[in-house]
Each structure stands twice: as structure tokens, then as C-alpha cells.
Amino acid sequence: MSWRHATREEIYRYYTEEFPSYVDELPSFITAKGPKQYALAFREPHPVRKDGVPDKDFIRRETWQTNVSGDRTTAAFHDFDDALEFIRHPARNDPLGRSDFALVDPDLLDKPDPRPNAVYYALDHWERPWVLLIDIDAKTIARERATRVVSDEDTTEDSEELLDSAGILDADPAGYPYAFEDIDQAIEYGFEVRGIFEDDFNAEETMVVYSGQGVHVYLLDTDLPHRYDAKSREVLNDLLQDTYEVPIDPVVTADRRRVARLPYSLHTDVCRIVTPIESPNFDVRSARPEVLRE
């Protein structure tokens, strides 16, 4: 199975030719003006207009300008086409415009427009409660598996050495800090968490998303009994980790400032589409973009 980094040209082709066909399939709470921010990560840092400010390899952009009272005044993106233009050409369409902290227009540099290595949206939202998301990463599962495989006397604090000793770095996909079996396990855990949401919390609206190197599990009910505040999320983290022994990232659940990979965006480190899925038997090979098929 091909597992590699996407090239600049492939990233642009995906967001130009293929991603637009998925826009109508985005979850209803992901709109141009709903999440409080969109964010992009770049492989290579890009300069900003203000002298003395470090080049940026990660940027967040507010979807609305606000006044001193925090009320919304002006939308950064009028529709999703505007957001899509920002994704395709971040420096040329930076919502910060002529601000000192906007990305420098490539026309003024001997450097091309950056391509998004990852596209994110904020879990904090203007129109609904803070989105509850559970993150399960294949890298965490691989490290826990390696710790069990390697004998106590050989255990090391160095992650790469530990993974190498357990044979994980040589397993497909070679060179990555997990094996395909760890991704499959993450997906199984994801549907276990979905079942916990539905059975223990009477959740009516849930979603599992293959994130490229793991899964994201959403609890999306917005009625009053399901508005999970910070304390409730801490309890949920403890339940999943201690009672059900699911290897989650608890910070993602509890941190209101977190962003998540945008569904149907491209995970460029593995050339796979971030895909909502309906079965633990999901085959990650099916998430390869059409524009990258050989």
C-alpha cells in the first residue's frame, strides 16, 4: 500500500479538482462562518509582512471580526468558496489582508504561495456548543504495543528506539511510527467509543472520522443535557481511559482552543482523505484521492 508525502503539485490538484466535490458532504456545523477559526499548517514557514516576526508554518484565521464586546461584525469568509480560495492560495487570500501579521503576497517574494500541509477548523463554534471530539492516534497505540513487546530490561524512553526494537518501524508502512495494524486498531477503538456514547450517554448524533493516522470520534448532540462543559469532559476522559482503557488524547477533549482536521481535507503525510466512516471494517486504501491514483 502506497504511503508517502504528497507533493506541492498533488496538494494543489486535490484542493482544485477533487475537494470541491466534497463540500456539500461536510457536516452541517462546518460552514464558512460557523467554526470560530480555520487554520493551516505548512511544511515550510512563510514570511509575514511585519519585519522581525518569525516566518509561520501554522496560522489561525478568525471567521469573524468582532468588536470590543465580542459581538460579530464582519465575516472573513462570505461562503465556503471564499474559504476554499484561502486553502488553495493562503498568502494571496489571507483574511488579515494588509495587516502587519498577514502572510506576504508571493508576488513580492522569490518564493511560491504556500500549500497547506494540513487544513483545520476550530472546535469552538459561533452557533452551537463547543464540539466534543475524542482523538485516537495510531502512534499512541503503536508505542503502547511496543512497550508490551519489548522486555523490561530493553525498554527505553526513546520512542524511535523503542519502536525499532519492537519491529514497528520496519513494518508497513515502513519508516512511520506505527504499523497498519495500529491504524486498524484505532478505528476499532473509534467505534467502541461511538458505542459508549450511544449506550451510556444516550447520544443521538455521533460521527467517526478516519483522520489519516487514527480516528476522531464526535458527540454532536446539542440539547441542554448534552452540553458537556470542561468538568464533564474531564470525567469523560477518565471514563474512557480508566474504565474502558481506550488510548485517547485527553487534551483534545478538554481544550477549547483545539482545532481538528477538516473532514475531506488531505492528510498530506500519507496521501489519504480525512473521511467520515460507518464501519470498523473501513479500508484505508479506499481513502486515496482520485487525483493521486496512478
Side-chain angles (χ1 to χ4, degrees):
M1 187 189 306
S2 176
W3 214 250
R4 61 175 178 82
H5 289 260
T7 66
R8 278 180 51 83
E9 292 73 19
E10 288 170 333
I11 294 168
Y12 183 73
R13 284 185 61 202
Y14 178 74
Y15 286 110
T16 301
E17 300 176 19
E18 190 164 348
F19 179 76
S21 67
Y22 292 117
V23 169
D24 289 342
E25 298 181 39
L26 287 171
S28 60
F29 62 91
I30 300 179
T31 64
K33 305 173 187 179
K36 290 191 175 180
Q37 294 178 333
Y38 280 98
L40 304 178
F42 309 125
R43 281 187 197 153
E44 296 182 4
H46 192 85
V48 299
R49 294 166 58 92
K50 186 176 177 63
D51 292 338
V53 175
D55 295 355
K56 301 294 184 183
D57 61 5
F58 180 81
I59 60 171
R60 294 173 179 258
R61 294 297 181 259
E62 308 288 336
T63 56
W64 285 87
Q65 294 179 20
T66 57
N67 59 25
V68 292
S69 299
D71 298 322
R72 287 175 280 178
T73 57
T74 306
F77 309 113
H78 296 290
D79 53 38
F80 208 85
D81 284 343
D82 290 342
L84 185 53
E85 281 302 302
F86 170 56
I87 293 170
R88 290 173 180 155
H89 300 286
R92 290 197 173 95
N93 295 287
D94 192 333
L96 292 184
R98 299 184 62 82
S99 162
D100 285 347
F101 296 96
L103 299 175
V104 176
D105 191 316
D107 291 340
L108 305 176
L109 299 169
D110 186 19
K111 189 172 186 175
D113 203 10
R115 298 282 183 254
N117 195 48
V119 180
Y120 303 96
Y121 73 97
L123 296 177
D124 208 359
H125 202 277
W126 284 110
E127 303 293 344
R128 53 155 291 143
W130 173 22
V131 175
L132 195 160
L133 180 147
I134 303 296
D135 181 36
I136 306 172
D137 196 324
K139 295 187 288 292
T140 302
I141 294 171
R143 181 174 173 82
E144 291 186 357
R145 181 164 65 89
T147 302
R148 293 193 300 271
V149 169
V150 177
S151 62
D152 290 343
E153 60 269 21
D154 295 331
T155 299
T156 173
E157 290 299 318
D158 181 83
S159 292
E160 187 168 349
E161 185 178 338
L162 177 65
L163 295 172
D164 189 43
S165 297
I168 291 173
L169 295 182
D170 291 331
D172 287 336
Y176 284 81
Y178 51 80
F180 283 125
E181 67 180 272
D182 299 308
I183 297 178
D184 292 340
Q185 181 62 67
I187 292 173
E188 289 187 22
Y189 276 132
F191 281 91
E192 180 182 344
V193 172
R194 183 181 193 173
I196 293 167
F197 285 166
E198 294 173 347
D199 297 338
D200 293 10
F201 295 89
N202 296 317
E204 296 181 358
E205 188 176 1
T206 60
M207 181 170 65
V208 180
V209 177
Y210 162 62
S211 62
Q213 298 183 116
V215 294
H216 295 157
V217 190
Y218 290 81
L219 198 166
L220 297 169
D221 292 355
T222 57
D223 54 298
L224 284 173
H226 297 97
R227 292 191 179 186
Y228 296 102
D229 59 14
K231 183 62 179 177
S232 299
R233 289 161 185 258
E234 291 177 11
V235 173
L236 177 59
N237 277 339
D238 291 342
L239 176 70
L240 293 176
Q241 292 177 296
D242 299 337
T243 302
Y244 289 99
E245 298 183 340
V246 178
I248 67 173
D249 182 343
V251 177
V252 173
T253 313
D255 185 359
R256 199 178 190 103
R257 287 278 298 169
R258 280 285 166 158
V259 294
R261 287 185 182 270
L262 181 69
Y264 302 107
S265 65
L266 182 65
H267 195 306
T268 64
D269 290 347
V270 297
C271 290
R272 289 297 180 272
I273 300 171
V274 177
T275 308
I277 59 177
E278 293 298 331
S279 168
N281 298 319
F282 176 75
D283 184 352
V284 298
R285 289 174 294 187
S286 66
R288 188 175 183 184
E290 291 293 332
V291 297
L292 271 64
R293 296 184 189 274
E294 298 170 354

